[in-house]
Amino acid sequence: MKYALVIFETDESRRRIQVDRAAYRKEYEGWIGSLAAAGKLVGGEALETEHITPATVRTKADGTSAVTDGPAQAGEETLGGWFIIEVADREEALELAKSLPTPETIEIRPILESA
């Protein structure tokens, strides 16, 4: 089964990045490397979260759209990226997510696969 591990940065992860970016990246990239070495990593992308403000487009039922600067959901947690993993089941996806050594929040979502 394929799952998306959707990564949300937190105030604490942003604080640690500011204190020592190199040490933080080493921990985070080590985790990604372990997923790849285990043959579980299918792909993923990191988002630009420091220098460019995201834009949000909300389309209404009448077809009109509104554009605002900022994330779709305001708050401490901000979308940072995602990884796609291939695992035996949900429990394995949860275990891999729990092994992330840095203080992000991870949302685990099954990938809808076409029949």
Side-chain angles (χ1 to χ4, degrees):
M1 297 183 72
K2 289 183 183 173
Y3 285 85
L5 302 182
V6 184
I7 310 294
F8 292 89
E9 293 179 347
T10 63
D11 287 345
E12 178 60 18
S13 66
R14 286 185 290 273
R15 185 192 67 73
R16 286 184 56 190
I17 289 168
Q18 291 172 350
V19 168
D20 189 345
R21 178 179 296 280
Y24 182 87
R25 287 188 63 89
K26 183 176 180 180
E27 278 188 282
Y28 193 81
E29 289 172 357
W31 177 73
I32 297 164
S34 70
L35 295 178
K40 304 297 180 181
L41 184 64
V42 175
E45 297 291 338
L47 299 174
E48 163 57 61
T49 60
E50 289 187 67
H51 306 291
I52 300 172
T53 302
T56 299
V57 177
R58 288 188 169 81
T59 303
K60 299 177 184 174
D62 66 4
T64 61
S65 297
V67 178
T68 56
D69 285 333
Q73 300 295 319
E76 176 201 342
E77 298 176 331
T78 56
L79 182 60
W82 61 88
F83 295 99
I84 305 299
I85 57 171
E86 189 154 355
V87 293
D89 54 29
R90 182 177 184 267
E91 291 307 312
E92 186 178 7
L94 289 169
E95 289 305 311
L96 291 174
K98 290 187 325 186
S99 70
L100 176 65
T102 56
E104 278 83 16
T105 297
I106 302 178
E107 185 173 310
I108 297 137
R109 295 270 187 137
I111 301 290
L112 182 61
E113 298 188 49
S114 52

